[in-house]
Amino acid sequence: METFAFYLFSILIAGLFLVTVLSRNVLYAMTSLAAGMVLISGLFFILGADFLGVVQLIVYVGAVMALYAFGMMFFDATGVVKERNTPALLVFLLGGLSAVMLVVIFAAPAIGSHVTPSFRTPQGVDNPHAVGLVLFTKYLVPFEVAAVMLLVAMIAGIILAGKKMDTSLSKISDGEESQAAGKEER
Amino acid sequence: MIGLSHYLILAAILFAIGIVGVIRRKNLLMLFFATEIMLNAANIAFAAISSYTGDLGGQMFAFFIIAVAASEVAVGLGLLILIYRKYGTLDLDNFTMLKG
């Protein structure tokens, strides 16, 4: 059963991501990317990483994809993307070579050596409980730093996508702002 | 039975798909999609190693990768919107003003 699920998921994920990479339509690419993310969370559930799978569903499929869909409203994305592509043969040669190299790099140490855990999974508790135990003891400082990073990213996103990007926000006084708004209305 | 190397090879294949996307696409939004694919491939490898060795560190790294990806999308999409407002296109070939 696990074998069947793994092969089904991996074939579907690879196919969907190939659609993402090769499609000329931004909407198709985004939709297949979202579907691939959902199936990747299925892989996490097979691996027993329940909490990671749920986070993958919420953050990637929920937040990131919604953000992309929102961003696509700014770009004229309904049509076909016009691109001047590099030669396909060169691309597939380079991509294939890096694929072979990556498979060798990934598979060689994992097959050869015995990896020993440095911080063993707590026994007798389910996965979200164990994640909480480890995250708030050993990884507390990176957790806080990640929180600060998300805050910085949120402020940066608001500032970058906000209005009046052609002038400095600190130089606009209230009177000028209403004047500018009046100009836009006319 | 599925072993660890199955998952690692799947992660490598997905990473290679992402690399093909980064090499091939000229649209900035598509480059972002390809980056997401590569980050997800790394996540799969981390989760698989974490599960097969009984060490939760891999899952922790996957969480932090997800956090980094989320903030990258937030900042990157803001920059994309700025670029689109200024130049009216997202084609990479138009952004060659730095060439000597």
Side-chain angles (χ1 to χ4, degrees), chain B residues 2-3 6 10 23 32 37 39 53 55 63-64 67-68 70 80 100:
Chain B
I2 301 295
H6 287 67
L10 172 69
I23 297 175
F32 271 74
I37 292 176
L39 287 170
T53 59
D55 187 349
F63 285 127
F64 291 126
V68 167
L80 280 194

Side-chain angles (χ1 to χ4, degrees), chain A residues 128-148:
Chain A
H129 193 166
V131 164
L133 283 178
V134 178
L135 190 61
F136 288 108
T137 53
K138 199 188 176 196
Y139 291 92
L140 184 59
V141 176
F143 181 76
E144 299 290 345
V145 173
V148 174

